[in-house]
Amino acid sequence: MAATRHGRYGFLAGAILPGLALYAVFVLSPYTQAFYLALTDWTGVSGEVSFVGLANFGRLLDDPLFLAALRNNGLMLLVVPLVTIGLGLLLAAGVNFGGRGGRPGLTAVRGAELYKIAFFFPQLLSLPIIALLWQFIYHPNEGLLNGLLRGVGLDGLARTWLGEPRLALWAVMAVLIWSSVGFYLVLFSAAMESVPRDVLEAAVLDGAGRLATLRLVILPLLWENVQVAFVYLGVLALDGFAVVQIMTVGPGGPDGATEVIGLGLYRNAFTYGKFGYAAAMGVALFLLTLTLAVLALRVGRRERVELS
């Protein structure tokens, strides 16, 4: 018995310890180094490192660009997850329960799988490719968007979408939503397929419309999926570096209208050689992301719905 137990523990140790070692080297070690560098004035080149304590974090509160980035990331955190999840739920419900034939309100639309593939297509493109694509779409003279507006006689609505401070950030957020909504359409569609049909039939027989069924029946059953989606989209909104770096003038312009924390981190580290200060920005971003995840999973916690 003792030999069997020893062999079992040896097997578990052999299976777990290599993974823990890799995790410590490639995950915990970089985080630890970042936390340490945030307390120094390291330039990234010199071997001399001076310990400055919390001075870098104090500078963040007096940095107008960082405060602008914090404000922009906060707006993105409000808009991108809510709009993406809302559109994903509506489109998933429309695809899965928007058909006209068969039982009322319970049949998928014709060609539902094709719709899912079409909406999912942006996931096949990398974010830099999407940013370049939309940079051409937003072009003030030769872009597709202004071209369509002028083509239908709406010349007055044509804008320099990425050149106007009050529009640039909204244009960037539209790209993030467009690139993400297809994935959550597919995610929510898969979850909706597991919803018992008798529950939906009972709602239809009680006179609930499609929107009421989505809000009162389907959404509570999909709440855990929505929570996870909010966390992932929140992380995307708190980042936004690749899209802003590629699409915007400056980048981060015009006049800091699209400045985000990740862009300030990159600029301070690789342009100004302030790796210690950039590490402080990274630590601040890490703490914001961790806080978001904890709040989203705890504040939005609901009792599990049990179906017999």
Side-chain angles (χ1 to χ4, degrees), residues 3-294:
T4 303
R5 183 178 302 174
H6 178 75
R8 182 175 60 189
Y9 289 156
F11 172 78
L12 291 175
I16 295 174
L17 290 179
L20 289 177
L22 291 174
Y23 183 81
V25 171
F26 293 105
V27 178
L28 296 182
S29 176
Y31 273 118
T32 304
Q33 293 178 50
F35 293 151
Y36 169 71
L37 290 177
L39 304 175
T40 70
D41 63 351
W42 187 47
T43 63
V45 179
S46 172
E48 298 180 0
V49 179
S50 299
F51 186 80
V52 297
L54 299 177
N56 287 328
F57 295 97
R59 289 174 55 193
L60 292 177
L61 301 178
D62 296 324
D63 187 341
L65 275 179
F66 177 79
L67 296 178
L70 195 61
R71 182 177 62 252
N72 292 336
N73 278 120
L75 180 59
M76 293 169 67
L77 182 59
L78 289 176
V79 174
V80 173
L82 293 178
V83 175
T84 304
I85 290 173
L87 287 175
L89 285 170
L90 286 174
L91 291 172
V95 168
N96 287 278
F97 307 121
R100 296 182 179 274
R103 293 172 292 179
L106 298 180
T107 56
V109 298
R110 182 176 300 177
E113 297 303 321
L114 293 178
Y115 282 112
K116 294 177 184 178
I117 293 173
F119 279 104
F120 190 80
F121 179 75
Q123 294 297 313
L124 304 180
L125 304 175
S126 66
L127 202 54
I129 296 299
I130 291 174
L132 284 173
L133 174 65
W134 278 88
Q135 189 179 41
F136 286 113
I137 291 175
Y138 283 140
H139 193 281
N141 299 321
E142 302 173 1
L144 177 62
L145 181 55
N146 282 345
L148 287 175
L149 292 174
R150 296 187 181 105
V152 297
L154 298 175
D155 302 57
L157 296 180
R159 295 286 187 275
T160 307
W161 301 99
L162 296 174
E164 297 185 19
R166 61 187 181 88
L167 293 177
L169 185 62
W170 293 96
V172 169
M173 288 191 290
V175 175
L176 293 175
I177 293 169
W178 178 86
S179 65
S180 303
V181 70
F183 175 81
Y184 293 97
L185 161 64
V186 175
L187 175 68
F188 294 144
S189 293
M192 287 178 184
E193 291 176 359
S194 65
V195 176
R197 283 298 188 267
D198 55 349
V199 174
L200 299 175
E201 288 176 352
V204 171
L205 292 176
D206 287 341
R210 290 177 178 174
L211 286 178
T213 302
L214 174 62
R215 181 172 61 89
L216 300 175
V217 179
I218 297 176
L219 183 57
L221 296 176
L222 269 61
W223 188 250
E224 291 184 356
N225 302 81
V226 172
Q227 278 186 298
V228 173
F230 184 84
V231 172
Y232 278 104
L233 287 166
V235 173
L236 176 67
L238 287 175
D239 180 16
F241 167 76
V243 175
V244 172
Q245 170 76 4
I246 294 171
M247 290 180 60
T248 62
V249 294
D255 298 330
T258 57
E259 182 75 18
V260 292
I261 298 175
L263 184 61
L265 188 159
Y266 174 85
R267 185 191 300 114
N268 278 280
F270 298 104
T271 302
Y272 304 144
K274 300 177 180 178
F275 273 78
Y277 187 51
M281 287 187 175
V283 172
L285 183 59
F286 166 77
L287 294 176
L288 287 173
T289 305
L290 182 62
T291 302
L292 166 70
V294 172

